[in-house]
Amino acid sequence: MTEKTLKFDIAIVGGGPASIAAACMASENGKTVAILETSPWLGGQLWRSEFPRAKTRQPIKWFSRLSEASAKAFLSTTIIDAPEEKTLLAETSDGNLRIVYDKLIIATGAREIFLPFPGWTLPNIYGAGAMQALAKADWPVDGKRIAIAGSGPILFAVAANLRKKGAKIVLTAEQTDLMSFLRFGMKLPLLAPSKILQAVEYNSQLIGVPYKTSCWPVEAHGTEQLESVTFTNGKKKWKVDCDYLACAFGLTGNLELPRLLGCEIDSDAVVVNDYQQTSLQDIYCAGEPTGIGGIDSALTEGRIAGLAAAGNVKQAKSLFATRDRYTKFEKAMAKGFALRDELKNLATPETIVCRCEDVTAGQLSEFNDFKSAKLQTRCGMGSCQGRICGSAVKTMFGWEDKSVRPPVYPAKMKNLE
Amino acid sequence: MSDKVQIKINGKEISVSPQTVVATAIAREGISHFRRSVTGKPRTPLCGMGVCFECRVTINGQPNTRSCQVLCEEGMEIVTDD
Amino acid sequence: MSEKYDVIIVGAGIVGASCAAECAANGLKVLVLEKGPIGGGTTATGMGHIVVLDDSEAQLALSSYSQKLWNELAPSLSEQAEYVQCGTIWVAADDEEMAEVQRKHKLYTEHGLESKILDNKALLKEEPHLAETLAGGLLVKQDSVVYPPAASYCLIKESQKNGAIVNIPAEVKEILPEGAVVLTDGTKFLASAIVNACGWEAPVFSDNAPITKRKGHLAITERLEGFLSHQIIELGYLKSAHSATGDSAAFNIQPRKTGQMLVGSSRQNDSETSEIEHRMLSKMIKRAWEYMPSLRDVQVTRTWTGFRPATPDKLPLIGPDGDSGKIWIAAGHEGLGITCSLATGKLVCDMIMDRPSEIDPKPFSPSRYAKGKTQNVR
């Protein structure tokens, strides 16, 4: 028997921008709302360090609106199971909690895609968004030489933010080629004019920072920790000395909960209708799990989901056009920054692919299917349950494992009952 | 009255601001690795958001706790895997 | 037309793999057919406990013979198979169960099997995390644990070294009494002997296999070196395993080389889906921390389910299926599949080669369930 069972009209899983927008809408439309967030703060990844006190315009506006709303936020609360209909089981810092809901909104955000390359497991190699989030949480970056690698406009944001915190950016390596990059840039006035201002802002902040397109890391070097990284442009290779490497190749939605619940998923995105409703009638999904699209998409989808779940169809409908505009931007992004083939083949047989179980590419290549590989090497069976190696094995071998079992995150035995 | 929080990392007493993430406190101590992998290799956080499990340390006797998802609290004892 | 094999093994779970290894080692021309990964069915879901059980003389004979074979095989297993002779402790909660401990000890001694009675103090010395109120237990040092999918893989590799052909994926449509196996894509293979080692799916290819699915739940914990040294089973496990009806949970925990622990066990007779049933999981873990209170704060990484292939008399089917003289069945091991796989392989090979076995195979003969005999089959 659980210690506590709480009932809400609308339960929202995740505490990032999409959740906050949904919570505000639903509350303002008279529903009782619970936000269930795994970390001890609200704001997700993009609004890190905006909680408990918001500092920038957009989060200030939304957190203020949230504080007026009657929504209840549960922090350090991790959903581990959905044991019965319309019920979530969560692990909290002092036990467990059952949340019974009428409607559920899933806004679990995204995680970064890591593609293994030799040396990528060395200490002081982080994701790109990870580096930014850590820096916002006061990670020591002042005076550190940082190389940034990956794909997309996020690299600018990361570089600018790190520079603000006193880091020395030794290189920003964008894997996409210059033509694709420029083509994307030319679409901005039509798709997302606000982004141009942002781009200009970043541009000014990044004067003097070496930025290269068609550039990616091929090996990280160091004995006990990172010391340098070899980059390539496809023609030549060169070594860059650095203290940290911030490197990731895009984002993928956190789909464990929708999978567990049985929501329809296609091409790594939860399938939703115009009202952000999933294939399960009482479950909605907003933000990155429905398709990677950044903060504006997330906020809009969150608002629609909150309104729709609360029954305010009219107002939800009024936001469709805005959302569609952001979807176009989303698609242009995906096209402009598609991953090049070379990134799929960076690993050597000795390169670790599954970090939890230290399984190498060589060990995996012995098998023809993921189930065999997983059973025999234990790849994907560790603590992260394939969250990190999943994208890697998909990219490298075309393998996918869609099985999700409780607990969604490791949880103490006493909290599983 | 100081609003700092007193914690211990690997036995060493240190003072941090409230709302400091445990992982940050560890990094600021110059600790070069958080845990050892199953084949004994040193590891530091990778994802910064609680999905990679590379930042696991022992907090108040509880092993395998993700340090990037916990805030420092008064009297907290943190041990990294050596 | 396809060439003829001496033996076709249908199913590359632990039992099929063992049959393949044994037959190939004896110079027979072997073909293995499997639709999924090697060791990917029930074999992948179980605990991999190599344990002697004494529900009946036959079970005791089969499991102890097989355990001996495992101990002999151990040095040649791969590192991935994680074979450890960690021993088993049967735990008694009260005096009534201590009497059972005494009985077991006597029986083992009579059969030349070593075991040691532990009182409360000795029990807690062996396993400090056990509940202090437990009466005692029986330590069986020669029991082991193994990681079954990797062990199956080793056995298959061994059979290949001796010339076995392994055809994966190959989905079998039917086994014909004249000595042929037909795949779903129409391919036909001929053999003098065909072994149905399909576990709970054996009835698909046989009318003489009263095997039903008995669902079990399992959980695996985080890595905790030094928490547990032996496989621990409560004596109530036997009641749970023996009962033909109802849902039950019985405490069973295993240390892995990785430092993780496997926690079980549960049995259900009427559940067909592989979904986790929260109330069964709950029942199982609550039972676990009754015996080991500190498990409450141990993190569980994942849970899953599996189907044991169960027969009405709790003994596997090992022997001829029907009268053709060409079809054999090796399935229905319930919770002793891993343990008894090696002995099963020996018995099957002995029968195919028409030579005597080290133990009496009669109790396992499928003829005990042949049509015409009155048996309550579900």
Side-chain angles (χ1 to χ4, degrees):
Chain A
M1 201 180 53
T2 326
E3 279 175 41
K4 254 195 323 193
T5 300
L6 297 175
K7 218 171 171 299
F8 293 88
D9 294 328
I10 296 172
I12 305 176
V13 179
S19 308
I20 292 169
C24 290
M25 297 298 116
S27 282
E28 288 161 18
N29 278 268
K31 298 293 177 187
T32 59
V33 179
I35 296 176
L36 308 161
E37 165 57 43
T38 223
S39 68
W41 48 80
L42 286 180
Q45 307 316 314
L46 294 174
W47 288 349
R48 275 296 278 270
S49 80
E50 304 281 350
F51 183 88
R53 209 169 299 116
K55 304 179 186 94
T56 36
R57 188 190 56 84
Q58 209 178 40
I60 286 173
K61 176 182 135 198
W62 279 104
F63 275 117
S64 165
R65 198 164 174 179
L66 184 68
S67 66
E68 302 294 305
S70 58
K72 202 156 183 243
F74 295 85
L75 302 179
S76 300
T77 298
T78 306
I79 304 304
I80 55 179
D81 196 5
E84 289 110 35
E85 277 282 311
K86 300 204 169 206
T87 306
L88 295 174
L89 179 64
E91 180 171 69
T92 64
S93 39
D94 56 7
N96 63 6
L97 179 64
R98 252 178 166 78
I99 303 280
V100 176
Y101 60 83
D102 188 47
K103 306 257 186 251
L104 175 66
I105 301 176
I106 299 172
T108 45
R111 56 182 178 254
E112 294 190 276
I113 294 171
F114 295 97
L115 300 176
F117 55 90
W120 76 295
T121 53
L122 279 170
N124 294 333
I125 296 180
Y126 310 94
M131 186 84 268
Q132 179 159 269
L134 289 170
K136 285 183 180 178
D138 277 328
W139 200 259
V141 299
D142 186 17
K144 302 281 185 197
R145 299 161 303 164
I146 306 182
I148 302 170
S151 201
I154 188 179
L155 300 186
F156 292 126
V158 174
N161 272 293
L162 289 175
R163 220 181 181 208
K164 249 192 261 174
K165 297 246 173 186
K168 181 170 192 289
I169 311 299
V170 294
L171 175 65
T172 302
E174 162 62 63
Q175 60 90 31
T176 256
D177 62 280
L178 187 62
M179 278 319 296
S180 304
F181 182 77
L182 289 175
R183 254 183 256 127
F184 169 75
M186 293 200 291
K187 290 203 184 91
L188 281 182
L190 211 58
L191 294 174
S194 62
K195 298 282 181 197
I196 298 187
L197 186 62
Q198 208 172 46
V200 171
E201 249 180 70
Y202 286 141
N203 204 41
S204 62
Q205 287 166 358
L206 294 173
I207 290 168
V209 170
Y211 177 84
K212 290 191 192 303
T213 51
S214 292
C215 183
W216 63 95
V218 289
E219 190 171 350
H221 313 274
T223 36
E224 284 299 299
Q225 57 195 42
L226 182 67
E227 286 159 25
S228 60
V229 177
T230 297
F231 283 91
T232 187
N233 59 5
K235 297 184 213 105
K236 65 177 170 102
K237 291 189 187 158
W238 66 96
K239 238 188 208 182
V240 176
D241 289 339
C242 51
D243 302 308
Y244 296 165
L245 170 66
C247 174
F249 295 99
L251 298 169
T252 188
N254 289 318
L255 303 180
E256 287 72 34
L257 183 60
R259 275 201 215 283
L260 185 76
L261 292 165
C263 299
E264 190 191 334
I265 291 169
D266 185 25
S267 310
D268 290 331
V270 178
V271 175
V272 290
N273 64 13
D274 280 336
Y275 294 95
Q276 303 296 139
Q277 206 177 18
T278 69
S279 59
L280 300 174
Q281 202 185 329
D282 297 316
I283 302 179
Y284 296 75
C285 190
E288 310 287 60
T290 66
I292 305 301
I295 190 151
D296 298 311
S297 262
L299 284 168
T300 314
E301 289 172 17
R303 289 165 75 186
I304 295 172
L307 289 163
N312 191 337
V313 170
K314 186 160 165 228
Q315 220 185 325
K317 237 175 166 165
S318 72
L319 291 165
F320 287 1
T322 311
R323 179 189 54 201
D324 294 343
R325 212 180 335 120
Y326 292 132
T327 307
K328 278 214 185 86
F329 176 72
E330 203 179 300
K331 291 203 165 82
M333 275 260 281
K335 201 166 168 207
F337 296 96
L339 295 182
R340 56 173 63 235
D341 284 334
E342 289 93 323
L343 296 172
K344 302 180 187 177
N345 303 308
L346 296 174
T348 65
E350 297 76 32
T351 306
I352 287 175
V353 175
C354 167
R355 298 172 68 117
C356 294
E357 300 291 316
D358 280 2
V359 182
T360 64
Q363 285 171 287
L364 290 172
S365 60
E366 229 188 281
F367 303 96
N368 297 320
D369 67 284
F370 194 37
K371 197 168 180 205
S372 298
K374 193 176 178 183
L375 274 180
Q376 298 301 331
T377 65
R378 306 187 68 83
C379 174
M381 286 198 187
S383 296
C384 92
Q385 291 289 296
R387 284 174 170 87
I388 300 298
C389 64
S391 318
V393 301
K394 187 170 178 197
T395 309
M396 291 164 69
F397 301 100
W399 292 338
E400 272 190 274
D401 183 11
K402 300 184 176 156
S403 69
V404 178
R405 298 286 209 182
V408 181
Y409 276 94
K412 292 184 189 178
M413 207 179 285
K414 69 186 180 193
N415 292 326
L416 282 178
E417 67 149 330
Chain B
M1 189 67 185
S2 166
D3 66 344
K4 291 280 192 181
V5 170
Q6 302 296 118
I7 62 170
K8 265 195 191 158
I9 298 182
N10 293 337
K12 181 181 169 199
E13 295 241 4
I14 65 166
S15 219
V16 297
S17 333
Q19 295 288 314
T20 300
V21 178
V22 172
T24 302
I26 295 170
R28 287 198 165 272
E29 279 302 295
I31 287 168
S32 61
H33 70 272
F34 285 55
R35 72 176 196 99
R36 290 226 169 250
S37 75
V38 302
T39 57
K41 306 286 189 301
R43 294 284 168 82
T44 48
L46 175 74
C47 76
M49 55 182 73
V51 298
C52 74
F53 288 80
E54 293 284 40
C55 65
R56 283 174 280 164
V57 296
T58 301
I59 298 180
N60 291 342
Q62 181 76 32
N64 293 318
T65 308
R66 286 168 287 166
S67 58
C68 75
Q69 298 289 291
V70 179
L71 294 175
C72 293
E73 277 171 20
E74 185 65 36
M76 201 174 243
E77 290 194 22
I78 298 149
V79 179
T80 64
D81 181 2
D82 241 292
Chain C
M1 248 289 86
S2 42
E3 59 183 293
K4 202 171 175 195
Y5 291 91
D6 294 325
V7 190
I8 294 177
I9 315 277
V10 181
I14 193 83
V15 172
S18 166
C19 292
E22 192 58 34
C23 290
N26 277 275
L28 296 173
K29 192 167 161 204
V30 175
L31 170 69
V32 179
L33 301 170
E34 166 57 63
K35 64 181 175 183
I38 295 169
T42 299
T43 299
T45 61
M47 262 205 188
H49 186 196
I50 298 164
V51 60
V52 171
L53 283 193
D54 57 68
D55 179 39
S56 60
E57 278 292 327
Q59 191 183 73
L60 180 60
L62 186 68
S63 57
S64 57
Y65 173 37
S66 206
Q67 182 186 75
K68 194 184 74 170
L69 294 169
W70 273 110
N71 289 335
E72 283 165 17
L73 182 69
S76 63
L77 287 170
S78 67
E79 219 186 291
Q80 282 75 23
E82 294 173 7
Y83 182 92
V84 179
Q85 196 170 37
C86 59
T88 304
I89 297 181
W90 291 90
V91 172
D94 50 34
D95 289 337
E96 187 187 334
E97 290 189 352
M98 271 315 273
E100 173 63 16
V101 166
Q102 303 279 357
R103 185 205 66 82
K104 246 170 135 59
H105 174 71
K106 186 159 170 278
L107 181 71
Y108 284 9
T109 310
E110 280 164 13
H111 284 80
L113 300 166
E114 231 190 281
S115 65
K116 183 176 166 197
I117 297 180
L118 304 170
D119 62 12
N120 169 278
K121 203 157 144 235
L123 179 69
L124 292 171
K125 186 150 180 258
E126 293 285 348
E127 293 292 351
H129 285 279
L130 280 170
E132 286 171 8
T133 53
L134 293 168
L138 186 71
L139 169 62
V140 183
K141 273 215 176 96
Q142 60 274 16
D143 285 348
S144 323
V145 302
V146 76
Y147 177 52
S152 306
Y153 196 73
C154 284
L155 290 166
I156 291 289
K157 283 263 167 290
E158 194 55 38
S159 75
Q160 284 175 309
K161 270 198 216 133
N162 287 320
I165 309 291
V166 177
N167 205 328
I168 293 178
E171 187 161 356
V172 171
K173 182 165 165 235
E174 52 187 339
I175 297 177
L176 302 171
E178 62 260 29
V181 177
V182 185
L183 301 186
T184 50
D185 66 6
T187 319
K188 195 173 185 182
F189 298 101
L190 304 176
S192 312
I194 297 166
V195 181
N196 176 352
C198 298
W200 63 263
E201 288 176 283
V204 173
F205 306 116
S206 170
D207 290 330
N208 305 314
I211 294 174
T212 54
K213 290 159 81 169
R214 226 164 167 211
K215 186 173 177 178
H217 285 72
L218 264 148
I220 192 165
T221 68
E222 55 180 321
R223 287 168 188 262
L224 281 177
E225 303 268 343
F227 190 97
L228 183 70
S229 314
H230 307 82
Q231 174 120 16
I232 299 179
I233 321 181
E234 60 153 298
L235 278 163
Y237 178 89
L238 300 168
K239 280 187 225 119
S240 168
H242 298 172
S243 106
T245 55
D247 302 340
S248 59
F251 176 55
N252 191 351
I253 191 169
Q254 176 185 105
R256 309 303 320 281
K257 236 179 186 170
T258 59
Q260 290 171 296
M261 294 180 287
L262 281 177
V263 181
S265 61
S266 78
R267 279 173 164 79
Q268 289 168 270
N269 292 307
D270 291 306
S271 191
E272 289 293 313
T273 70
S274 59
E275 267 154 36
I276 295 284
E277 290 171 62
H278 196 89
R279 76 183 167 87
M280 279 312 296
L281 185 67
S282 212
K283 201 169 170 163
M284 188 179 92
I285 61 181
K286 272 195 259 200
R287 190 79 181 157
W289 72 60
E290 265 173 50
Y291 279 80
M292 277 195 145
S294 37
L295 282 175
R296 292 176 57 95
D297 286 312
V298 169
Q299 288 183 69
V300 170
T301 304
R302 191 174 173 102
T303 60
W304 65 90
T305 62
F307 292 106
R308 301 175 188 82
T311 59
D313 64 2
K314 295 146 222 152
L315 290 174
L317 299 166
I318 309 173
D321 183 0
D323 297 319
S324 72
K326 296 204 159 115
I327 316 296
W328 308 82
I329 185 162
H333 294 75
E334 219 267 351
L336 279 175
I338 311 304
T339 302
C340 297
S341 57
L342 298 187
T344 303
K346 289 268 187 206
L347 291 179
V348 165
C349 189
D350 291 338
M351 285 181 220
I352 288 172
M353 295 181 78
D354 196 18
R355 59 185 195 192
S357 293
E358 199 166 310
I359 63 168
D360 180 10
K362 215 153 122 258
F364 316 112
S365 175
S367 64
R368 70 194 196 268
Y369 289 120
K371 287 201 154 73
K373 294 225 166 128
T374 44
Q375 276 285 354
N376 223 357
V377 165
R378 283 207 299 127

